[in-house]
Amino acid sequence: MITLVPVLGDQLTPTISSLAAAKKADTVVLMMEVADETTYVRHHKQKIAFILSAMRHHAAALREAGWTVDYVGLDDPDNSGSFTGEVARAVERHAATRIIVTEAGEWRVRAMLDAWQTLFGIPVDILTDDRFIATHADFEAWAASRKVLTMEYFYRVMRQRTGVLMDGKYPVGGQWNFDKDNRKPANKDLFMPQPLAFKPDKVTREVIDLVSTRFADHPGDLGGFDYAVTAEDAERQADTFFAHALEKFGDYEDAMLTGERHLWHSILSPYLNAGLLDPLDLCRRAEAAYRAGKAPINSVEGYVRQILGWREYMRGIYWREGPDYVERNYFGNMRQLPDWYWTGETDMHCLREALGQTLATAHAHHIQRLMVTGNFALLIGADPKAVHL
């Protein structure tokens, strides 16, 4: 009696609910690099390389921890190219009698998971992704009685529920939000903190070669790839942020500075999204820094709000609005983006800086995305799907 546990590319957490519900003795963990997931949008080359390398390192860590892992590489000649195709092959290969999987993070993938029990004729248990603090039911209960779904009020509920930055019933510092203190312009600073840069190891170099060949027409540059691809190195990046950048994160979180790609930002979102870091743990570490007198309340609250507020809120909105959300076009905008949007070759300075950084590093902070590249797309009347795809 074999249980098959598919672990997806954004589920790289050793304690994820699907693994927590399985037993090593009778479980095969299935990890799949499939063409469908690399090409349904034209992902940045570095994003593909990060996910594939992190998956390969995670598979090695699971094996070390005693799990049996069946890993299907992107260049495997028998690779079907889809999650469903690879699960079908694995069910047959291992004579699996049951599937346990953690819920998907996208409607598109959720539809696949929902079809598996009928397709394969074996029980499929789809478990809650408990790495998020609010469940779908939690968000629905909060939203049900409200005409306007304002993030700020959801964020306050999350603070109360978790106790993060709370003194009993009251917010630390006497107010919920210190955003008005977080709008300072940045100046050149020789001592500006820099995130760690991780030299690609053998596994990552192999992935970079694969991505360079197979996804040559995708945007972005692979030459400067220096992301962490293991949980241990992601934790080192988090340590660096809390030690050197959190203190001034709030003051300059909305700032832009020519030639400075990171300022005091954490650069931790890829690791959160892949499952290499725990969101509530990061919030509690930020809170601990405040209570120890190592970071001011405006920085800590501003950072916590990004995770406990915006990240949880946007997930709730995404699932509440439904799978047609991506097709909506409220303003009826239909223009395509100019070709230079994908090269950064423009005389508009802010756009050149933001686009150039994105192409070089696959990262841009929220002001660059919202106020520069996003706002430009809105002002010219670009089709939202042109930005999305």
Side-chain angles (χ1 to χ4, degrees), residues 5-131:
V5 177
V7 170
L8 310 183
D10 61 351
Q11 298 179 348
L12 309 183
T13 308
T15 56
I16 198 161
S17 57
S18 54
L19 291 176
K23 297 177 181 178
K24 292 177 182 177
D26 62 1
T27 294
V28 172
V29 178
L30 175 66
M31 296 187 68
M32 309 157 277
E33 300 174 359
V34 296
D36 282 0
E37 300 308 305
T38 54
T39 57
Y40 70 93
V41 297
R42 292 178 66 245
H43 297 292
H44 193 294
K45 294 186 186 81
Q46 286 199 33
K47 178 180 179 180
I48 300 173
F50 164 68
I51 293 173
L52 297 187
S53 183
M55 286 175 64
R56 294 183 185 193
H57 284 88
H58 187 64
L62 290 177
R63 290 190 182 106
E64 228 177 279
W67 292 97
T68 299
V69 180
D70 181 357
Y71 196 97
V72 182
L74 192 64
D75 50 0
D76 185 322
D78 296 322
N79 191 326
S80 66
S82 72
F83 283 151
T84 297
E86 286 312 297
V87 172
R89 290 204 309 131
V91 167
E92 182 177 358
R93 189 160 60 244
H94 300 289
T97 57
R98 180 189 182 199
I99 295 172
I100 302 176
V101 63
T102 296
E103 64 178 315
E106 299 177 64
W107 281 106
R108 178 182 60 83
V109 182
R110 176 175 171 171
M112 299 179 203
L113 271 58
D114 287 344
W116 285 354
Q117 184 157 305
T118 299
L119 283 173
F120 306 137
I122 60 176
V124 176
D125 299 326
I126 302 175
L127 306 183
T128 297
D129 188 347
D130 54 14
R131 299 172 302 169

Side-chain angles (χ1 to χ4, degrees), residues 338-349 351-353 355-356 359:
D339 290 343
W340 56 257
Y341 199 89
W342 305 104
T343 67
E345 296 173 2
T346 173
D347 291 335
M348 289 181 278
H349 182 76
L351 278 158
R352 185 173 67 248
E353 285 286 305
L355 292 169
L359 291 166

Side-chain angles (χ1 to χ4, degrees), residues 352-384:
R352 185 173 67 248
E353 285 286 305
L355 292 169
Q357 171 181 325
T358 301
L359 291 166
T361 69
H363 181 272
H365 67 68
H366 62 283
I367 294 300
Q368 293 166 318
R369 296 193 309 270
L370 299 177
M371 304 304 179
V372 180
T373 58
N375 209 22
F376 170 80
L378 178 64
L379 288 170
I380 69 165
D383 182 345

